[in-house]
């Protein structure tokens, strides 16, 4: 079987690319025995792993003849449901290839729910614009044989104009793909809370290092035994904050920096809780990885995090009551108490969520041979 992935953006096709999204799906299709490559538009980058990538001009991705020449059985297209990529989806379908479109979204396509109220004229303008885009997005998704997304978003679209059952009935559940090595290995859990993100550079505005720092400090102030570990690249702001903490707190708030995927798996298997501090997320990969390793999750009380908040279902976590650092810290402590009371089972958490996230399981389901 030949199943390729396609990302219509010229990302760097380096080692990191193949640990998530279409790169991760490509590697797991290979593990299932399929021939798979990742397709992206030009240009090549110096750090590309060229033996795993096909790059062509963007116009070629819109050619049904080109797709037909690859003799594929399937394509997983990471289009985010964006209408600007409809010509690519059409070309794949015209080539007679099974099309899987991944929708990486919490269903708030326009980020309006969490923004301050607009003026009346602006709201009217947005209504017209967003209605037109929704119509085009629904038409794009209806080209797919399968749409991968989360169950809450699927049911949300089932009730929306333009989408309905025509989209929702095509859904296979996969909010975001996770590598299968993120699995619980049976070890005893430690009284530890972890937070994973990129705390410097372009991600600052989304990951919210301010909330991470304030909530972590509140957590160790409220509880004299909990250990907090922060994973991911950080800058001078975060380093200076930790350095200024009282020694007793500094000893229990550890900055781990960039951590390879295999080590993150061990960390999640050790920890009882992984907490998110993002301002907004379509899916939140770190929380998905944590759940697959039997680690409960805690999510801030932010409307823009509606999908990660769903991750707390199935006895798997807690949503903070208010959008404050103190409330987030209280939610982490409440979750730790659930563990101490025997109300959390790491094996059960992992078993409940792996079918939604593990890329090999989802791809095996989608491309399983059908009886004639």
């Amino acid at each position: 079987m030949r199943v390729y992935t396609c990302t219509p953006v010229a990302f760097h096709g380096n080692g990191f690319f193949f640990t998530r999204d279409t790169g991760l799906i490509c590697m797991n299709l290979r593990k299932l025995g399929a021939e798979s490559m990742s397709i992206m538009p030009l240009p090549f980058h110096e750090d590309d792993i060229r033996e795993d990538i096909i790059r062509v001009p963007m116009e070629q991705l819109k050619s049904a003849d080109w797709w037909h020449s690859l003799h594929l059985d399937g394509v997983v297209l990471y289009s985010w449901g964006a209408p600007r990529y409809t010509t690519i989806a059409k070309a794949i379908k015209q080539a007679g290839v099974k099309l899987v479109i991944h929708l990486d979204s919490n269903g708030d396509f326009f980020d309006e729910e969490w923004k301050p109220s607009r003026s009346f004229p602006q709201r009217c303008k947005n209504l017209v614009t967003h209605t037109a885009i929704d119509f085009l997005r629904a038409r794009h998704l209806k080209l797919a044989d399968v749409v991968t997304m989360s169950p809450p978003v699927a049911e949300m679209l089932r009730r929306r104009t333009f989408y309905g059952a025509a989209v929702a009935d095509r859904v296979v559940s996969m909010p975001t793909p996770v590598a299968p090595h993120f699995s619980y290995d049976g070890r005893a859990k430690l009284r530890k809370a972890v937070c994973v993100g990129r705390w410097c550079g372009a991600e600052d505005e989304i990951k919210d290092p301010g909330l991470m720092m304030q909530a972590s400090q509140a957590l160790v102030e409220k509880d004299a035994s909990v250990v907090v570990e922060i994973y991911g690249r950080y800058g001078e702001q975060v380093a200076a904050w930790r350095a200024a903490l009282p020694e007793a707190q500094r000893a229990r708030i550890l900055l781990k920096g960039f951590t390879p995927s295999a080590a993150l798996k061990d960390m999640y298997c050790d920890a009882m809780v992984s907490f998110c501090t993002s301002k907004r997320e379509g899916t939140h990969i770190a929380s998905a990885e944590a759940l697959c390793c039997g680690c409960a999750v805690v999510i801030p009380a932010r409307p823009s995090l509606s999908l990660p908040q769903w991750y707390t279902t199935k006895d798997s976590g807690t949503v903070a009551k208010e959008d404050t650092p103190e409330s987030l810290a209280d939610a982490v402590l409440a979750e730790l108490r659930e563990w101490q009371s025997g109300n959390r089972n790491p094996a059960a958490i992992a078993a409940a969520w792996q079918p939604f996230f593990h890329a090999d399981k989802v791809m095996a389901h989608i491309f399983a041979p059908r009886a004639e």
Side-chain angles (χ1 to χ4, degrees):
M1 180 176 286
R2 291 163 59 87
V3 181
Y4 287 12
T5 67
C6 177
T7 306
V9 180
F11 293 130
H12 286 247
N14 52 23
F16 179 73
F17 174 83
F18 286 98
T19 66
R20 57 189 295 167
D21 301 333
T22 51
L24 173 61
I25 291 173
C26 174
M27 293 295 103
N28 279 273
L29 284 165
R30 290 183 182 180
K31 290 178 182 177
L32 293 171
E35 178 185 330
S36 191
M37 299 281 285
S38 280
I39 300 172
M40 286 186 281
L42 292 168
F44 280 102
H45 299 289
E46 287 186 5
D47 57 350
D48 280 351
I49 303 174
R50 296 205 176 194
E51 60 268 26
D52 296 327
I53 294 173
I54 296 172
R55 288 197 190 269
V56 296
M58 179 63 84
E59 286 304 310
Q60 206 155 322
L61 296 180
K62 303 173 185 178
S63 166
D65 289 340
W66 182 76
W67 285 106
H68 183 74
S69 73
L70 298 178
H71 305 290
L72 300 178
D73 298 293
V75 173
V76 180
L77 175 64
Y78 247 66
S79 68
W80 304 277
R84 63 183 175 275
Y85 301 126
T86 295
T87 51
I88 298 174
K90 279 184 177 178
I92 295 169
K93 285 300 294 179
Q94 289 169 359
V97 179
K98 182 173 183 175
L99 175 61
V100 179
I101 293 178
H102 181 67
L103 185 64
D104 183 357
S105 174
N106 64 4
D108 179 15
F109 298 125
F110 305 106
D111 291 336
E112 288 300 311
E113 293 180 8
W114 58 272
K115 289 184 176 179
S117 297
R118 307 295 192 185
S119 66
F120 180 73
Q122 184 64 52
R123 290 201 301 271
C124 291
K125 180 181 178 181
N126 286 350
L127 177 62
V128 173
T129 302
H130 295 171
T131 299
I133 294 173
D134 259 340
F135 171 77
L136 295 173
R137 180 182 290 106
R139 190 170 69 173
H140 173 88
L141 294 175
K142 289 173 186 176
L143 290 168
D145 297 286
V146 174
V147 182
T148 52
M149 65 174 82
S150 72
V153 176
E155 291 311 304
M156 190 184 303
L157 295 186
R158 186 182 295 278
R159 299 189 298 271
R160 284 189 183 174
T161 305
F162 306 133
Y163 299 94
V167 171
D169 288 349
R170 300 168 197 252
V171 169
V172 169
S173 297
M174 185 179 70
T176 189
V178 169
H181 72 259
F182 285 103
S183 297
Y184 179 58
D185 57 12
R187 73 183 72 179
K189 289 285 186 176
L190 304 178
R191 200 166 188 277
K192 180 190 299 185
V194 300
C195 192
V196 179
R198 291 188 290 275
W199 311 109
C200 58
E203 291 285 325
D204 260 8
E205 194 272 330
I206 296 175
K207 300 303 180 184
D208 202 347
L211 178 59
M212 178 272 289
M213 291 184 284
Q214 293 176 63
S216 297
Q217 188 165 357
L219 189 53
V220 297
E221 287 174 350
K222 291 169 179 283
D223 188 288
S225 63
V226 67
V227 174
V228 180
E229 294 181 351
I230 311 299
Y231 290 81
R233 292 186 176 91
Y234 58 88
E236 293 181 2
Q237 177 193 19
V238 174
W241 158 73
R242 182 179 179 274
L245 291 173
E247 184 177 353
Q249 294 181 10
R250 192 166 62 247
R252 291 187 291 122
I253 297 179
L254 308 177
L255 300 180
K256 297 292 189 174
F258 174 78
T259 306
S261 181
L264 284 178
K265 180 258 185 182
D266 286 333
M267 172 272 291
Y268 288 130
C269 284
D270 281 339
M272 291 181 175
V273 179
S274 173
F275 63 100
C276 167
T277 63
S278 298
K279 292 182 179 179
R280 60 186 183 276
E281 292 283 357
T283 54
H284 201 243
I285 294 173
S287 290
E289 293 171 344
L291 291 170
C292 290
C293 295
C295 178
V297 297
V298 168
I299 310 295
R302 291 175 167 173
S304 54
L305 295 173
S306 58
L307 181 55
Q309 287 165 5
W310 174 67
Y311 297 170
T312 66
T313 62
K314 307 179 191 294
D315 293 325
S316 299
T318 300
V319 178
K321 294 180 179 179
E322 299 176 354
D323 187 10
T324 66
E326 291 75 19
S327 184
L328 186 60
D330 287 341
V332 173
L333 292 175
E335 191 58 35
L336 290 172
R337 288 193 293 272
E338 292 290 337
W339 283 94
Q340 291 173 324
S341 301
N343 296 327
R344 294 292 182 260
N345 182 322
I349 292 172
W353 292 101
Q354 287 173 7
F356 289 94
F357 294 122
H358 275 179
D360 59 338
K361 292 181 173 65
V362 178
M363 291 300 112
H365 171 70
I366 292 173
F367 294 105
R370 298 289 189 262
E372 295 296 334

